[in-house]
Amino acid sequence: MRLLIVEDEKRLAISLARGLTAEGFAVDVVHDGLEGLHRASDGAYDLVVLDIMLPGMNGYRVCAALRAAGHEVPILMLTAKDGEYDEAEGLDTGADDYLTKPFSYVVLVARVRALLRRRAGPGSPVVTVGSLRMDTAARRVHRGEEEIALTAKEFAVLEQLVLRAGQVVSKAEILEHVWDFAYDGDPNIVEVYISTLRRKLGTASIRTMRGAGYRLEAL
């Protein structure tokens, strides 16, 4: 899942980005309302964390502009304000949820996951591919009766393959969804994680399609 944080308090924004990245999300950060609107309008994000008090354009206007343009991306608003009127105004402009500063990071993550589940609809969060079973809500993976311990990044890479089981997923697609927009490191990092997943799941579990990407095999 790819998230956009629009927050002008840079230390807070960086802290949130690090935490959410550790949870397995790909996270981009901007500090200006106009830039936030531009990025969110691209349609590349699964959720936007949006501060209200922003330079350039405030969060109310960013949210209203996105909704007026037909963008349905979930929006979680952050603000230092705590009046009922402020909350009502945020929700009236199209925000899906509202969190008042200071807030618990654990609560923020729970709200983010709840919004993403709501967007995904009422389907089961458990996906089965052969003997592999992935619970995307509980963040757990089983191979038969055995639970496979995965890091957040390993889980995120595997999730891209599981959700498109039987299809070829390119290295670029995995990078785009698992690492953030600004990642400029070695793209071969994907191969490192694929190799680790093969060791944990079985060498035949993920097939390399030369020049195209990777495909999860039902075993």
Side-chain angles (χ1 to χ4, degrees):
M1 294 292 181
R2 196 168 181 185
L3 311 184
L4 175 66
I5 296 175
V6 189
E7 168 62 68
D8 65 329
E9 293 183 39
K10 293 185 179 181
R11 291 180 65 181
L12 173 60
I14 292 172
S15 176
L16 290 178
R18 286 175 177 167
L20 290 167
T21 298
E23 295 288 338
F25 297 106
V27 183
D28 294 334
V29 177
V30 297
H31 306 294
D32 175 272
L34 287 171
E35 178 65 15
L37 176 60
H38 173 71
R39 287 286 193 93
S41 296
D42 288 344
Y45 297 98
D46 297 289
L47 183 140
V48 177
V49 178
L50 177 65
D51 189 30
I52 290 179
M53 304 303 291
L54 292 166
M57 176 183 284
N58 69 39
Y60 294 136
R61 293 176 59 199
V62 172
C63 183
L66 287 170
R67 296 305 188 230
H71 296 289
E72 298 181 355
V73 59
I75 295 175
L76 173 61
M77 275 193 165
L78 304 179
T79 182
K81 298 181 179 181
D82 58 2
E84 291 182 2
Y85 175 79
D86 300 314
E87 180 174 357
E89 184 174 357
L91 296 174
D92 283 346
T93 58
D96 297 275
D97 204 351
Y98 184 100
L99 204 54
T100 302
K101 300 175 184 176
F103 52 81
S104 161
Y105 172 73
V106 173
V107 171
L108 179 133
V109 173
R111 297 281 186 90
V112 165
R113 293 201 186 281
L115 288 175
L116 291 171
R117 286 196 300 271
R118 192 184 309 167
R119 187 188 193 197
S124 170
V126 178
V127 183
T128 301
V129 181
S131 62
L132 186 71
R133 188 172 74 259
M134 170 178 275
D135 187 329
T136 59
R139 316 291 289 179
R140 299 176 71 181
V141 174
H142 288 80
R143 183 73 182 273
E145 297 301 316
E146 178 189 3
E147 182 167 1
I148 309 297
L150 299 178
T151 66
K153 273 289 191 287
E154 289 167 357
F155 186 96
V157 171
L158 181 61
E159 185 175 26
Q160 293 302 309
L161 298 173
V162 166
L163 295 178
R164 294 175 58 185
Q167 302 177 37
V168 177
V169 184
S170 72
K171 183 187 297 185
E173 289 172 316
I174 295 173
L175 278 172
E176 179 182 352
H177 287 89
V178 178
W179 281 265
D180 61 41
F181 180 80
Y183 179 76
D184 60 357
D186 188 348
N188 290 327
I189 188 69
V190 174
E191 296 177 12
V192 174
Y193 278 89
I194 292 293
S195 177
T196 301
L197 287 171
R198 283 178 175 142
R199 285 199 300 271
K200 292 186 175 183
L201 302 175
T203 55
S205 58
I206 301 172
R207 177 174 295 183
T208 298
M209 312 302 292
R210 295 197 178 279
Y214 305 97
R215 186 177 68 204
L216 182 69
E217 300 292 328
L219 299 174

